[in-house]
Amino acid sequence: MDSATLSKRFQTLELAPFAVHSPAAILQSLVSCGLVGQLMPDAQHAGLGIDCQLVEARKDCLLLRARIAPQTPPWQQALAIFKPGQHIVRLPCAELFACNDELLQCRFPETIWQMPRRALFRVAPPAAPPLRLKAHSPSGSSPWRGKAIDLSVGGLSFAIEAAQAPCKVDAILPACQLSDGNWSSPHFDLRVRSVEPGASKDSWRIGAALYYPERDIISSLQLASYRFEVSNRAISRSASPSA
């Protein structure tokens, strides 16, 4: 399913946009599994993520084990990510505070966001500013600069200009990075999954999956996907005529 089709389904409510409206069961499962996630100030500061673990989900609050460094930005819009590719919890951090050196407490969140796999969901980044991909050829020698077409927590597709197919399926693209001028991802490797002619002459569309990504890479792309889709839906709502 491409982003345009999914966007139409969002507008007609055929698919619920990420939200899990009864988060208690999921939060309890995260507690029981003992998963270690990432806690970060907001969607713009993925690089400042710190390890966190959900240790208790009460009716009125959550307890997390984490150490917030004093030099980090304010945490009014903090996000916690658990289980790569699965759940994002937006914490009600106006009341996030330290119980002691390791435990943080906040009110129980109303909503958990769930990130579907790439086969089910791909989000198109906003047209402006464009999301650029800086990559390298499979040999690691010459730099590539392409434009991201869609993004998911499992990979991405991008457009690149070249007279001939720039690579083959299963090629490894090392030291890739996404940037829109305001946000930049950590570097990551990609495995090419498809190479197709693009919409214009001498252009190619390349689909690629993350290749053995570290947890901070997955967290960063989760946040970008989340931020882009929330932005897209806000634009869609503002453009729609009021009921």
Side-chain angles (χ1 to χ4, degrees):
M1 182 184 301
D2 61 24
S3 181
T5 302
L6 190 69
S7 178
K8 292 178 181 178
R9 288 196 171 189
F10 279 154
Q11 293 174 27
T12 59
L13 301 182
E14 292 181 39
L15 291 175
F18 291 137
V20 178
H21 295 289
S22 299
I26 290 177
L27 291 173
Q28 291 294 349
S29 70
L30 293 174
V31 171
S32 62
C33 291
L35 292 175
V36 175
Q38 286 277 295
L39 178 67
M40 51 202 70
D42 53 43
Q44 304 293 337
H45 292 87
L48 295 177
I50 58 176
D51 286 347
C52 72
Q53 186 176 18
L54 187 62
V55 296
E56 190 172 350
R58 302 173 181 174
K59 291 182 179 181
D60 57 346
C61 70
L62 299 180
L63 290 179
L64 298 95
R65 180 171 289 113
R67 288 179 176 269
I68 294 179
Q71 69 271 20
T72 55
W75 293 75
Q76 279 78 12
Q77 299 183 16
L79 293 150
I81 292 181
F82 298 96
K83 200 172 185 180
Q86 294 292 327
H87 301 107
I88 293 178
V89 182
R90 178 180 283 282
L91 302 174
C93 288
E95 298 185 14
L96 179 69
F97 62 93
C99 300
N100 54 45
D101 290 342
E102 292 189 356
L103 289 180
L104 303 174
Q105 179 178 321
C106 69
R107 290 183 293 107
F108 194 91
E110 296 180 359
T111 305
I112 287 179
W113 299 80
Q114 189 169 35
M115 300 294 291
R117 301 302 299 170
R118 184 164 174 78
L120 299 177
F121 175 80
R122 305 178 188 192
V123 60
L131 183 64
R132 301 292 184 182
L133 175 73
K134 182 179 180 181
H136 292 80
S137 66
S139 65
S141 56
S142 57
W144 288 359
R145 293 189 181 274
K147 181 179 179 180
I149 298 172
D150 63 53
L151 180 68
S152 72
V153 294
L156 56 92
S157 68
F158 64 95
I160 187 171
E161 295 184 0
Q164 299 178 343
C167 59
K168 297 181 179 180
V169 172
D170 286 335
I172 304 300
L173 308 180
C176 302
Q177 186 179 39
L178 288 166
S179 177
D180 62 5
N182 300 313
W183 166 84
S184 295
S185 72
H187 288 86
F188 55 90
D189 297 342
L190 291 170
R191 180 191 288 275
V192 175
R193 309 305 291 175
S194 64
V195 180
E196 303 172 353
S200 59
K201 182 181 178 183
D202 293 341
S203 71
W204 298 85
R205 176 172 178 149
I206 298 176
L210 294 175
Y211 185 64
Y212 293 110
E214 299 291 338
R215 190 170 63 191
D216 63 331
I217 300 300
I218 297 174
S219 296
S220 184
L221 295 190
Q222 276 183 306
L223 285 175
S225 299
Y226 165 86
R227 180 163 53 90
F228 293 155
E229 186 54 33
V230 169
S231 174
N232 288 345
R233 283 188 281 115
I235 293 172
S236 177
R237 285 196 299 270
S238 65
S240 299
S242 58

